[in-house]
Amino acid sequence: MTRLNAVLLLALIASALYLVQTQYASRRLYTELDQANAEARRLQIEYQRLQVQKRAQATPLRVEQLARARLQMHTATPAITQYVTTPLPAPGAVQEPRP
């Protein structure tokens, strides 16, 4: 009978140790999950902030201001527009292939 009690006591101790180890692992994994969720929320907020900033940067007025300031561009007017024309071939004329 004592041998059975000793075996049962060892089984009880092993079971208790396994339960403690399992609870510890569960708490550790829950903490990691909570940290990952917090990081996901932080990244989502950062993404939304960047999207708003991107939309603000791409307004037509801002693009035009940057084109004028940094690239020294200006709007085309008829006074500075140069039209390129090519002579039209005479009717019935055969055009030579260009090299």
Side-chain angles (χ1 to χ4, degrees):
M1 195 64 158
T2 9
R3 183 177 277 179
L4 179 62
N5 286 340
V7 169
L8 289 175
L9 180 63
L10 286 176
L12 179 68
I13 290 173
S15 175
L17 288 175
Y18 180 73
L19 177 66
V20 168
Q21 189 270 337
T22 304
Q23 286 178 340
Y24 174 75
S26 173
R27 287 186 184 122
R28 184 176 44 83
L29 289 174
Y30 180 78
T31 303
E32 288 178 15
L33 177 65
D34 191 44
Q35 288 174 347
N37 285 335
E39 179 70 10
R41 283 190 302 273
R42 186 189 69 76
L43 289 173
Q44 183 66 30
I45 290 169
E46 178 73 10
Y47 176 74
Q48 290 171 352
R49 185 186 65 78
L50 289 172
Q51 289 293 82
V52 168
Q53 191 177 32
K54 177 181 156 187
R55 284 191 297 268
Q57 295 282 331
T59 61
L61 179 62
R62 176 156 166 66
V63 171
E64 184 178 347
Q65 288 173 347
L66 288 174
R68 288 181 189 277
R70 292 191 184 164
L71 302 175
Q72 288 83 35
M73 295 177 79
H74 52 280
T75 55
T77 61
I80 61 171
T81 303
Q82 294 181 0
Y83 295 98
V84 178
T85 60
T86 58
L88 294 175
V94 178
Q95 290 184 346
E96 295 181 21
R98 293 185 178 169

Coordinates of all heavy atoms in Angstrom, one line a residue:
M1 N 0.8 -1.2 0.0 CA 0.0 0.0 0.0 C 0.9 1.3 0.0 O 0.5 2.3 -0.6 CB -0.9 -0.1 1.2 CG -2.0 0.9 1.2 SD -3.1 0.5 -0.2 CE -4.5 1.2 0.3
T2 N 2.0 1.2 0.7 CA 2.8 2.4 0.8 C 3.4 2.7 -0.6 O 3.7 3.8 -1.0 CB 4.0 2.2 1.8 OG1 4.0 0.9 2.2 CG2 4.0 3.2 2.8
R3 N 3.7 1.6 -1.3 CA 4.3 1.8 -2.6 C 3.3 2.5 -3.5 O 3.6 3.4 -4.3 CB 4.7 0.5 -3.2 CG 5.3 0.6 -4.6 CD 5.8 -0.7 -5.1 NE 7.1 -1.0 -4.6 CZ 7.8 -2.1 -4.8 NH1 7.3 -3.0 -5.6 NH2 8.9 -2.3 -4.3
L4 N 2.0 2.2 -3.5 CA 1.0 2.8 -4.2 C 0.8 4.3 -3.8 O 0.7 5.2 -4.7 CB -0.4 2.1 -4.0 CG -1.6 2.7 -4.8 CD1 -1.3 2.6 -6.3 CD2 -2.8 1.9 -4.4
N5 N 0.9 4.5 -2.5 CA 0.8 5.9 -2.0 C 2.0 6.7 -2.6 O 1.8 7.9 -2.9 CB 0.7 6.0 -0.5 CG -0.6 5.5 0.0 OD1 -1.6 5.5 -0.7 ND2 -0.6 5.1 1.3
A6 N 3.1 6.2 -2.6 CA 4.3 6.9 -3.1 C 4.2 7.2 -4.5 O 4.5 8.3 -5.0 CB 5.6 6.1 -2.8
V7 N 3.7 6.3 -5.3 CA 3.5 6.5 -6.8 C 2.5 7.5 -7.0 O 2.6 8.4 -7.8 CB 3.1 5.1 -7.5 CG1 2.7 5.4 -8.9 CG2 4.3 4.2 -7.4
L8 N 1.4 7.5 -6.2 CA 0.3 8.5 -6.3 C 0.8 9.9 -5.9 O 0.5 10.9 -6.5 CB -0.9 8.1 -5.5 CG -1.7 6.9 -6.1 CD1 -2.8 6.5 -5.1 CD2 -2.3 7.2 -7.4
L9 N 1.7 9.9 -4.9 CA 2.2 11.2 -4.4 C 3.2 11.8 -5.5 O 3.1 13.0 -5.8 CB 3.0 11.0 -3.1 CG 3.7 12.3 -2.6 CD1 2.6 13.3 -2.2 CD2 4.5 11.9 -1.4
L10 N 4.0 10.9 -6.1 CA 4.8 11.4 -7.2 C 4.0 11.9 -8.4 O 4.3 12.9 -9.1 CB 5.8 10.3 -7.7 CG 6.9 10.0 -6.7 CD1 7.8 8.8 -7.2 CD2 7.8 11.2 -6.6
A11 N 2.9 11.1 -8.7 CA 2.0 11.6 -9.8 C 1.4 12.9 -9.5 O 1.2 13.8 -10.4 CB 1.0 10.5 -10.1
L12 N 1.0 13.1 -8.3 CA 0.4 14.3 -7.8 C 1.3 15.5 -7.9 O 1.0 16.6 -8.4 CB -0.2 14.2 -6.4 CG -0.8 15.4 -5.8 CD1 -2.1 15.7 -6.6 CD2 -1.1 15.3 -4.3
I13 N 2.6 15.3 -7.5 CA 3.6 16.3 -7.6 C 3.9 16.6 -9.0 O 4.0 17.8 -9.4 CB 4.9 15.9 -6.8 CG1 4.6 15.9 -5.3 CG2 6.0 16.8 -7.1 CD1 5.7 15.3 -4.4
A14 N 4.1 15.6 -9.8 CA 4.3 15.8 -11.3 C 3.2 16.6 -11.9 O 3.4 17.5 -12.7 CB 4.6 14.5 -12.0
S15 N 2.0 16.2 -11.6 CA 0.8 16.9 -12.1 C 0.8 18.4 -11.7 O 0.5 19.3 -12.5 CB -0.5 16.2 -11.7 OG -1.6 16.9 -12.1
A16 N 1.1 18.6 -10.4 CA 1.1 20.0 -9.9 C 2.2 20.8 -10.6 O 1.9 22.0 -11.0 CB 1.3 20.0 -8.4
L17 N 3.3 20.3 -10.8 CA 4.4 21.0 -11.4 C 4.1 21.3 -12.9 O 4.3 22.3 -13.4 CB 5.7 20.2 -11.4 CG 6.4 20.1 -10.0 CD1 7.6 19.2 -10.0 CD2 6.8 21.5 -9.5
Y18 N 3.4 20.3 -13.6 CA 3.0 20.5 -14.9 C 2.0 21.6 -15.0 O 2.0 22.5 -15.9 CB 2.5 19.2 -15.5 CG 2.1 19.4 -17.0 CD1 3.0 19.5 -18.0 CD2 0.7 19.4 -17.3 CE1 2.6 19.6 -19.3 CE2 0.3 19.5 -18.6 CZ 1.2 19.7 -19.6 OH 0.8 19.8 -20.9
L19 N 1.0 21.6 -14.1 CA 0.0 22.7 -14.0 C 0.6 24.0 -13.8 O 0.2 25.0 -14.5 CB -1.0 22.4 -12.9 CG -2.1 23.4 -12.7 CD1 -3.0 23.4 -13.9 CD2 -2.9 23.1 -11.5
V20 N 1.6 24.2 -12.9 CA 2.2 25.4 -12.7 C 3.0 25.9 -14.0 O 2.9 27.1 -14.4 CB 3.2 25.3 -11.5 CG1 4.1 26.6 -11.4 CG2 2.4 25.2 -10.2
Q21 N 3.7 25.0 -14.6 CA 4.4 25.3 -15.8 C 3.5 25.7 -16.9 O 3.7 26.7 -17.7 CB 5.3 24.1 -16.2 CG 6.3 24.4 -17.3 CD 5.7 24.1 -18.7 OE1 4.8 23.4 -18.9 NE2 6.3 24.8 -19.7
T22 N 2.4 25.1 -17.1 CA 1.4 25.4 -18.1 C 0.8 26.7 -17.8 O 0.6 27.5 -18.8 CB 0.3 24.3 -18.2 OG1 0.9 23.0 -18.4 CG2 -0.7 24.6 -19.3
Q23 N 0.4 27.0 -16.6 CA -0.1 28.4 -16.3 C 0.9 29.5 -16.5 O 0.5 30.5 -17.0 CB -0.6 28.4 -14.8 CG -1.9 27.6 -14.6 CD -2.3 27.7 -13.1 OE1 -1.4 27.9 -12.2 NE2 -3.5 27.4 -12.8
Y24 N 2.1 29.2 -16.2 CA 3.2 30.2 -16.5 C 3.3 30.5 -18.0 O 3.4 31.6 -18.4 CB 4.5 29.8 -15.9 CG 5.7 30.7 -16.2 CD1 5.8 31.9 -15.6 CD2 6.6 30.3 -17.2 CE1 6.9 32.7 -15.9 CE2 7.6 31.1 -17.6 CZ 7.8 32.3 -16.9 OH 8.8 33.2 -17.3
A25 N 3.3 29.4 -18.8 CA 3.4 29.6 -20.2 C 2.2 30.3 -20.8 O 2.3 31.1 -21.7 CB 3.6 28.2 -20.9
S26 N 1.0 30.0 -20.2 CA -0.2 30.6 -20.7 C -0.1 32.1 -20.4 O -0.5 33.0 -21.2 CB -1.4 30.0 -20.0 OG -2.5 30.7 -20.3
R27 N 0.3 32.5 -19.2 CA 0.4 33.9 -18.8 C 1.5 34.6 -19.7 O 1.3 35.8 -20.1 CB 0.8 34.1 -17.4 CG -0.3 33.8 -16.5 CD 0.0 34.0 -15.0 NE -1.1 33.6 -14.1 CZ -1.0 32.8 -13.2 NH1 0.2 32.2 -12.9 NH2 -2.0 32.4 -12.4
R28 N 2.6 34.0 -20.0 CA 3.6 34.6 -20.8 C 3.1 34.8 -22.2 O 3.3 35.9 -22.8 CB 4.8 33.7 -20.8 CG 6.0 34.2 -21.6 CD 7.3 33.3 -21.5 NE 7.0 31.9 -21.7 CZ 6.9 31.3 -22.9 NH1 7.0 32.0 -24.0 NH2 6.6 30.0 -22.9
L29 N 2.4 33.8 -22.8 CA 1.8 33.9 -24.1 C 0.7 35.0 -24.2 O 0.7 35.8 -25.1 CB 1.3 32.6 -24.6 CG 2.3 31.5 -24.9 CD1 1.6 30.2 -25.2 CD2 3.2 32.0 -26.1
Y30 N -0.1 35.1 -23.1 CA -1.1 36.2 -23.1 C -0.4 37.6 -23.1 O -0.9 38.5 -23.7 CB -2.0 36.0 -21.9 CG -3.1 37.1 -21.8 CD1 -4.2 37.0 -22.6 CD2 -2.9 38.1 -20.9 CE1 -5.2 38.0 -22.6 CE2 -3.9 39.1 -20.9 CZ -5.0 39.0 -21.7 OH -6.0 40.0 -21.7
T31 N 0.7 37.7 -22.3 CA 1.4 39.0 -22.3 C 2.0 39.3 -23.6 O 1.9 40.4 -24.1 CB 2.5 38.9 -21.2 OG1 2.0 38.6 -20.0 CG2 3.3 40.2 -21.1
E32 N 2.5 38.3 -24.3 CA 3.1 38.6 -25.7 C 2.0 38.9 -26.6 O 2.1 39.8 -27.5 CB 3.8 37.3 -26.2 CG 5.1 37.1 -25.5 CD 5.8 35.8 -26.0 OE1 5.4 35.3 -27.1 OE2 6.7 35.3 -25.3
L33 N 0.8 38.3 -26.5 CA -0.3 38.6 -27.4 C -0.8 40.0 -27.1 O -1.1 40.8 -28.1 CB -1.5 37.6 -27.1 CG -2.8 37.9 -27.9 CD1 -2.5 37.7 -29.4 CD2 -3.9 37.0 -27.4
D34 N -0.9 40.4 -25.9 CA -1.3 41.8 -25.5 C -0.3 42.8 -26.1 O -0.7 43.8 -26.6 CB -1.4 41.9 -24.0 CG -2.1 43.2 -23.6 OD1 -3.1 43.6 -24.3 OD2 -1.6 43.9 -22.7
Q35 N 1.0 42.5 -26.0 CA 2.0 43.4 -26.5 C 1.9 43.5 -28.0 O 2.0 44.6 -28.6 CB 3.4 43.0 -26.1 CG 3.7 43.2 -24.7 CD 5.0 42.6 -24.2 OE1 5.6 41.8 -25.0 NE2 5.5 42.9 -23.0
A36 N 1.6 42.4 -28.7 CA 1.5 42.4 -30.2 C 0.3 43.2 -30.6 O 0.3 43.9 -31.6 CB 1.4 40.9 -30.7
N37 N -0.8 43.0 -29.8 CA -2.0 43.8 -30.2 C -1.8 45.3 -30.0 O -2.2 46.1 -30.8 CB -3.2 43.4 -29.3 CG -3.8 42.1 -29.7 OD1 -3.6 41.7 -30.9 ND2 -4.4 41.3 -28.8
A38 N -1.1 45.7 -28.9 CA -0.7 47.1 -28.7 C 0.1 47.6 -29.8 O -0.1 48.7 -30.3 CB 0.0 47.3 -27.3
E39 N 1.1 46.8 -30.3 CA 2.0 47.2 -31.4 C 1.2 47.4 -32.7 O 1.4 48.3 -33.5 CB 3.1 46.2 -31.6 CG 4.0 46.5 -32.7 CD 4.9 47.7 -32.5 OE1 5.0 48.2 -31.3 OE2 5.6 48.1 -33.4
A40 N 0.2 46.4 -32.9 CA -0.6 46.5 -34.1 C -1.5 47.8 -34.1 O -1.6 48.5 -35.1 CB -1.5 45.3 -34.2
R41 N -2.0 48.1 -32.9 CA -2.8 49.4 -32.8 C -1.9 50.6 -33.1 O -2.3 51.5 -33.7 CB -3.4 49.5 -31.4 CG -4.7 48.6 -31.2 CD -5.4 49.0 -29.9 NE -4.6 48.8 -28.7 CZ -4.4 47.7 -28.1 NH1 -5.0 46.6 -28.4 NH2 -3.6 47.7 -27.0
R42 N -0.7 50.6 -32.5 CA 0.2 51.7 -32.7 C 0.6 51.8 -34.2 O 0.6 52.9 -34.7 CB 1.5 51.5 -31.9 CG 2.5 52.7 -32.0 CD 3.8 52.4 -31.3 NE 4.6 51.4 -32.1 CZ 5.2 51.7 -33.2 NH1 5.2 52.9 -33.7 NH2 5.9 50.8 -33.9
L43 N 0.8 50.7 -34.9 CA 1.1 50.7 -36.3 C 0.0 51.2 -37.1 O 0.1 51.9 -38.1 CB 1.6 49.4 -36.8 CG 3.0 49.0 -36.2 CD1 3.3 47.5 -36.6 CD2 4.1 49.9 -36.8
Q44 N -1.3 50.8 -36.8 CA -2.5 51.2 -37.5 C -2.6 52.7 -37.4 O -2.9 53.4 -38.3 CB -3.7 50.5 -36.9 CG -5.0 50.8 -37.7 CD -5.0 50.4 -39.1 OE1 -4.3 49.4 -39.5 NE2 -5.6 51.0 -40.0
I45 N -2.4 53.3 -36.2 CA -2.5 54.7 -36.0 C -1.4 55.5 -36.8 O -1.7 56.5 -37.4 CB -2.4 55.1 -34.5 CG1 -3.7 54.6 -33.8 CG2 -2.2 56.6 -34.3 CD1 -3.6 54.6 -32.2
E46 N -0.2 54.9 -36.8 CA 0.9 55.5 -37.5 C 0.5 55.5 -39.0 O 0.8 56.4 -39.8 CB 2.2 54.8 -37.3 CG 3.3 55.3 -38.1 CD 3.9 56.6 -37.6 OE1 3.5 57.1 -36.5 OE2 4.7 57.2 -38.3
Y47 N 0.0 54.4 -39.5 CA -0.4 54.3 -40.9 C -1.5 55.3 -41.3 O -1.4 55.9 -42.3 CB -0.9 52.8 -41.2 CG -1.4 52.6 -42.6 CD1 -0.5 52.5 -43.7 CD2 -2.8 52.6 -42.9 CE1 -1.0 52.4 -45.0 CE2 -3.2 52.4 -44.2 CZ -2.3 52.3 -45.2 OH -2.8 52.1 -46.5
Q48 N -2.5 55.4 -40.5 CA -3.5 56.4 -40.7 C -2.9 57.8 -40.7 O -3.3 58.7 -41.6 CB -4.6 56.3 -39.7 CG -5.4 55.1 -39.8 CD -6.4 54.8 -38.7 OE1 -6.4 55.6 -37.7 NE2 -7.3 53.8 -38.8
R49 N -2.0 58.1 -39.8 CA -1.4 59.4 -39.8 C -0.6 59.7 -41.0 O -0.6 60.8 -41.6 CB -0.5 59.6 -38.5 CG 0.1 60.9 -38.4 CD 1.1 61.0 -37.2 NE 2.3 60.2 -37.5 CZ 3.3 60.5 -38.3 NH1 3.3 61.7 -38.9 NH2 4.3 59.7 -38.5
L50 N 0.1 58.7 -41.5 CA 0.9 58.8 -42.7 C 0.0 59.0 -44.0 O 0.3 59.7 -44.9 CB 1.8 57.6 -42.9 CG 3.0 57.6 -42.0 CD1 3.8 56.3 -42.1 CD2 4.0 58.7 -42.2
Q51 N -1.1 58.3 -44.0 CA -2.1 58.5 -45.1 C -2.6 59.9 -45.1 O -2.7 60.5 -46.2 CB -3.3 57.5 -45.0 CG -2.9 56.0 -45.2 CD -2.5 55.8 -46.7 OE1 -1.3 56.1 -47.1 NE2 -3.4 55.3 -47.4
V52 N -3.0 60.4 -44.0 CA -3.4 61.8 -43.9 C -2.3 62.8 -44.4 O -2.6 63.7 -45.2 CB -3.9 62.2 -42.5 CG1 -4.1 63.7 -42.3 CG2 -5.2 61.4 -42.2
Q53 N -1.1 62.5 -43.9 CA 0.0 63.4 -44.3 C 0.2 63.3 -45.8 O 0.5 64.3 -46.5 CB 1.2 63.0 -43.6 CG 2.4 63.9 -43.7 CD 3.6 63.5 -42.8 OE1 3.8 62.3 -42.6 NE2 4.3 64.4 -42.3
K54 N 0.1 62.1 -46.4 CA 0.3 61.9 -47.8 C -0.8 62.7 -48.6 O -0.4 63.3 -49.6 CB 0.2 60.4 -48.1 CG 0.3 60.0 -49.6 CD 0.2 58.5 -49.8 CE -0.3 58.2 -51.1 NZ -0.6 56.7 -51.2
R55 N -2.0 62.6 -48.2 CA -3.1 63.3 -48.9 C -2.8 64.8 -48.8 O -3.1 65.6 -49.7 CB -4.4 62.9 -48.3 CG -4.9 61.6 -48.8 CD -6.4 61.4 -48.4 NE -6.6 61.4 -47.0 CZ -6.6 60.3 -46.2 NH1 -6.4 59.1 -46.7 NH2 -6.8 60.3 -44.9
A56 N -2.3 65.3 -47.6 CA -2.1 66.7 -47.5 C -0.9 67.2 -48.4 O -0.9 68.3 -48.9 CB -1.7 67.0 -46.0
Q57 N 0.1 66.3 -48.6 CA 1.2 66.6 -49.4 C 0.9 66.6 -50.9 O 1.6 67.3 -51.7 CB 2.4 65.7 -49.2 CG 2.9 65.7 -47.8 CD 3.9 66.9 -47.6 OE1 4.5 67.3 -48.5 NE2 3.9 67.3 -46.3
A58 N -0.1 65.9 -51.3 CA -0.4 65.7 -52.7 C -1.5 66.6 -53.2 O -2.1 66.4 -54.3 CB -0.7 64.3 -53.0
T59 N -1.8 67.7 -52.5 CA -2.9 68.6 -53.0 C -2.3 69.3 -54.3 O -1.2 69.6 -54.4 CB -3.3 69.6 -52.0 OG1 -2.2 70.4 -51.6 CG2 -3.9 68.9 -50.7
P60 N -3.2 69.6 -55.2 CA -2.8 70.3 -56.4 C -2.1 71.6 -56.1 O -1.1 72.0 -56.8 CB -4.1 70.5 -57.2 CG -5.0 69.4 -56.7 CD -4.6 69.2 -55.3
L61 N -2.6 72.4 -55.1 CA -2.0 73.7 -54.8 C -0.5 73.5 -54.3 O 0.4 74.2 -54.7 CB -2.8 74.4 -53.8 CG -2.2 75.7 -53.3 CD1 -2.2 76.7 -54.5 CD2 -3.1 76.3 -52.2
R62 N -0.3 72.5 -53.5 CA 1.0 72.2 -53.0 C 2.0 71.8 -54.1 O 3.1 72.2 -54.2 CB 1.0 71.2 -51.9 CG 2.4 70.8 -51.4 CD 2.3 70.2 -50.0 NE 3.5 69.6 -49.6 CZ 4.7 70.1 -49.4 NH1 4.9 71.4 -49.6 NH2 5.7 69.4 -49.0
V63 N 1.5 70.9 -55.0 CA 2.3 70.5 -56.1 C 2.7 71.7 -57.0 O 3.8 71.8 -57.4 CB 1.6 69.4 -56.9 CG1 2.3 69.1 -58.2 CG2 1.4 68.1 -56.1
E64 N 1.7 72.5 -57.2 CA 2.0 73.7 -58.1 C 3.1 74.6 -57.4 O 4.0 75.1 -58.0 CB 0.8 74.5 -58.4 CG 1.0 75.7 -59.3 CD -0.3 76.4 -59.6 OE1 -1.4 75.9 -59.3 OE2 -0.2 77.5 -60.1
Q65 N 2.9 74.8 -56.1 CA 3.9 75.7 -55.3 C 5.3 75.1 -55.4 O 6.3 75.8 -55.6 CB 3.4 75.8 -53.9 CG 2.2 76.7 -53.7 CD 1.7 76.7 -52.3 OE1 2.1 75.9 -51.5 NE2 0.8 77.7 -52.0
L66 N 5.4 73.8 -55.2 CA 6.7 73.1 -55.3 C 7.3 73.2 -56.7 O 8.5 73.4 -56.8 CB 6.6 71.6 -54.8 CG 6.4 71.4 -53.4 CD1 6.1 69.9 -53.1 CD2 7.6 71.9 -52.6
A67 N 6.4 73.1 -57.7 CA 6.9 73.1 -59.1 C 7.5 74.5 -59.3 O 8.5 74.7 -60.0 CB 5.8 72.8 -60.1
R68 N 6.8 75.6 -58.8 CA 7.3 76.9 -59.1 C 8.5 77.2 -58.3 O 9.5 77.8 -58.8 CB 6.2 77.9 -58.7 CG 5.0 78.0 -59.6 CD 4.0 79.0 -59.2 NE 2.8 78.9 -59.9 CZ 2.6 79.5 -61.1 NH1 3.6 80.2 -61.6 NH2 1.5 79.4 -61.8
A69 N 8.6 76.8 -57.0 CA 9.7 77.1 -56.1 C 10.9 76.3 -56.4 O 12.0 76.9 -56.6 CB 9.3 76.9 -54.7
R70 N 10.8 75.0 -56.5 CA 12.0 74.1 -56.6 C 12.4 73.9 -58.0 O 13.6 73.8 -58.3 CB 11.7 72.8 -55.9 CG 11.6 72.9 -54.4 CD 11.6 71.6 -53.7 NE 11.4 71.8 -52.3 CZ 11.1 70.8 -51.5 NH1 10.9 69.6 -52.0 NH2 10.9 71.0 -50.2
L71 N 11.5 73.8 -58.9 CA 11.8 73.4 -60.3 C 11.8 74.6 -61.2 O 12.0 74.5 -62.4 CB 10.8 72.4 -60.8 CG 10.8 71.1 -60.0 CD1 9.7 70.2 -60.5 CD2 12.1 70.4 -60.0
Q72 N 11.4 75.8 -60.7 CA 11.3 77.0 -61.5 C 10.4 76.9 -62.7 O 10.7 77.3 -63.8 CB 12.7 77.6 -61.9 CG 13.6 78.1 -60.8 CD 14.3 77.1 -60.1 OE1 14.8 76.1 -60.6 NE2 14.5 77.3 -58.8
M73 N 9.3 76.2 -62.5 CA 8.4 76.0 -63.6 C 7.3 77.1 -63.5 O 7.1 77.7 -62.5 CB 7.7 74.6 -63.4 CG 8.6 73.4 -63.5 SD 7.8 71.9 -63.3 CE 7.0 71.6 -64.8
H74 N 6.7 77.4 -64.7 CA 5.7 78.3 -64.7 C 4.6 77.9 -65.7 O 4.9 77.0 -66.6 CB 6.2 79.7 -65.1 CG 7.1 79.8 -66.3 ND1 8.4 79.4 -66.3 CD2 6.8 80.1 -67.5 CE1 8.9 79.5 -67.5 NE2 7.9 79.9 -68.3
T75 N 3.5 78.4 -65.7 CA 2.4 78.0 -66.6 C 2.7 78.4 -68.0 O 3.3 79.4 -68.2 CB 1.0 78.6 -66.1 OG1 1.2 80.0 -66.1 CG2 0.6 78.1 -64.8
A76 N 2.2 77.6 -68.9 CA 2.5 77.9 -70.3 C 1.5 79.0 -70.8 O 0.3 78.9 -70.5 CB 2.3 76.6 -71.2
T77 N 2.0 79.9 -71.5 CA 1.1 81.0 -72.1 C 1.3 81.0 -73.6 O 2.4 80.5 -74.1 CB 1.5 82.4 -71.5 OG1 2.9 82.6 -71.9 CG2 1.4 82.4 -70.0
P78 N 0.4 81.5 -74.3 CA 0.6 81.5 -75.8 C 1.8 82.3 -76.2 O 2.4 82.0 -77.3 CB -0.7 82.2 -76.3 CG -1.7 82.0 -75.2 CD -0.9 82.0 -73.9
A79 N 2.3 83.2 -75.4 CA 3.5 84.0 -75.8 C 4.7 83.2 -75.8 O 5.7 83.4 -76.5 CB 3.6 85.2 -74.8
I80 N 4.8 82.1 -74.9 CA 6.0 81.3 -74.9 C 5.9 80.0 -75.5 O 6.8 79.2 -75.4 CB 6.5 81.2 -73.4 CG1 5.4 80.5 -72.5 CG2 6.9 82.5 -72.8 CD1 5.9 80.1 -71.2
T81 N 4.7 79.7 -76.0 CA 4.4 78.4 -76.6 C 5.0 78.3 -78.0 O 4.8 79.2 -78.8 CB 2.9 78.1 -76.6 OG1 2.4 78.2 -75.3 CG2 2.6 76.7 -77.2
Q82 N 5.7 77.3 -78.3 CA 6.3 77.1 -79.6 C 5.6 75.9 -80.2 O 5.6 74.8 -79.6 CB 7.8 76.8 -79.5 CG 8.6 78.0 -79.0 CD 10.1 77.7 -79.0 OE1 10.5 76.6 -79.4 NE2 10.9 78.7 -78.6
Y83 N 5.0 76.1 -81.4 CA 4.4 75.0 -82.1 C 5.3 74.4 -83.1 O 5.9 75.1 -83.9 CB 3.1 75.5 -82.7 CG 2.1 76.0 -81.7 CD1 2.0 77.4 -81.4 CD2 1.3 75.1 -81.1 CE1 1.1 77.8 -80.5 CE2 0.3 75.5 -80.1 CZ 0.2 76.9 -79.8 OH -0.7 77.3 -78.9
V84 N 5.4 73.1 -83.2 CA 6.2 72.4 -84.1 C 5.3 71.9 -85.2 O 4.4 71.1 -84.9 CB 7.0 71.3 -83.5 CG1 7.9 70.6 -84.5 CG2 7.9 71.9 -82.3
T85 N 5.6 72.2 -86.4 CA 4.7 71.7 -87.5 C 5.6 71.0 -88.5 O 6.8 71.3 -88.7 CB 4.0 72.9 -88.3 OG1 5.0 73.8 -88.8 CG2 3.1 73.6 -87.3
T86 N 5.1 70.0 -89.2 CA 5.8 69.3 -90.2 C 5.1 69.6 -91.5 O 3.8 69.7 -91.6 CB 5.8 67.8 -89.9 OG1 4.5 67.3 -89.8 CG2 6.6 67.5 -88.6
P87 N 5.8 69.7 -92.6 CA 5.2 69.9 -93.9 C 4.4 68.7 -94.3 O 4.8 67.6 -94.1 CB 6.3 70.2 -94.8 CG 7.5 69.6 -94.2 CD 7.3 69.7 -92.7
L88 N 3.2 68.9 -94.8 CA 2.3 67.8 -95.2 C 2.8 67.4 -96.6 O 3.1 68.3 -97.5 CB 0.9 68.3 -95.2 CG 0.3 68.6 -93.9 CD1 -1.2 69.1 -94.0 CD2 0.3 67.3 -93.0
P89 N 2.8 66.2 -96.9 CA 3.2 65.7 -98.3 C 2.1 66.1 -99.3 O 0.9 66.2 -98.9 CB 3.3 64.2 -98.2 CG 2.5 63.9 -97.0 CD 2.5 65.0 -96.1
A90 N 2.5 66.3 -100.5 CA 1.6 66.6 -101.5 C 0.7 65.4 -101.8 O 1.0 64.3 -101.6 CB 2.3 67.0 -102.8
P91 N -0.6 65.7 -102.2 CA -1.5 64.6 -102.4 C -1.0 63.7 -103.5 O -0.5 64.1 -104.5 CB -2.8 65.3 -102.9 CG -2.7 66.7 -102.5 CD -1.2 67.0 -102.4
G92 N -1.0 62.4 -103.2 CA -0.5 61.4 -104.2 C 1.0 61.2 -104.2 O 1.5 60.3 -104.9
A93 N 1.7 61.9 -103.4 CA 3.2 61.8 -103.3 C 3.5 60.5 -102.4 O 2.8 60.2 -101.4 CB 3.8 63.0 -102.7
V94 N 4.5 59.9 -102.7 CA 5.0 58.7 -102.0 C 6.0 59.1 -101.0 O 7.0 59.8 -101.4 CB 5.5 57.6 -103.0 CG1 6.0 56.4 -102.2 CG2 4.5 57.2 -104.0
Q95 N 5.8 58.8 -99.8 CA 6.8 59.1 -98.7 C 7.9 58.1 -98.7 O 7.6 56.9 -98.7 CB 6.1 59.3 -97.4 CG 5.2 60.5 -97.3 CD 4.7 60.5 -95.8 OE1 4.8 59.6 -95.1 NE2 4.1 61.7 -95.5
E96 N 9.1 58.6 -98.5 CA 10.2 57.7 -98.3 C 10.3 57.2 -96.9 O 10.1 58.0 -96.0 CB 11.5 58.3 -98.7 CG 11.6 58.7 -100.2 CD 12.9 59.3 -100.6 OE1 13.9 59.2 -99.8 OE2 12.9 60.0 -101.6
P97 N 10.6 56.0 -96.6 CA 10.8 55.6 -95.2 C 11.9 56.3 -94.6 O 13.0 56.5 -95.2 CB 11.0 54.1 -95.3 CG 11.4 53.8 -96.7 CD 10.9 54.9 -97.6
R98 N 11.7 56.6 -93.3 CA 12.8 57.3 -92.6 C 13.7 56.3 -92.0 O 13.3 55.2 -91.6 CB 12.2 58.1 -91.4 CG 11.4 59.3 -92.0 CD 10.9 60.1 -90.9 NE 10.1 61.3 -91.5 CZ 9.4 62.1 -90.8 NH1 9.3 61.9 -89.5 NH2 8.8 63.1 -91.3
P99 N 15.0 56.6 -91.9 CA 16.0 55.6 -91.3 C 15.8 55.4 -89.8 O 15.4 56.2 -89.1 CB 17.3 56.1 -91.7 CG 17.1 57.5 -92.1 CD 15.7 57.7 -92.4

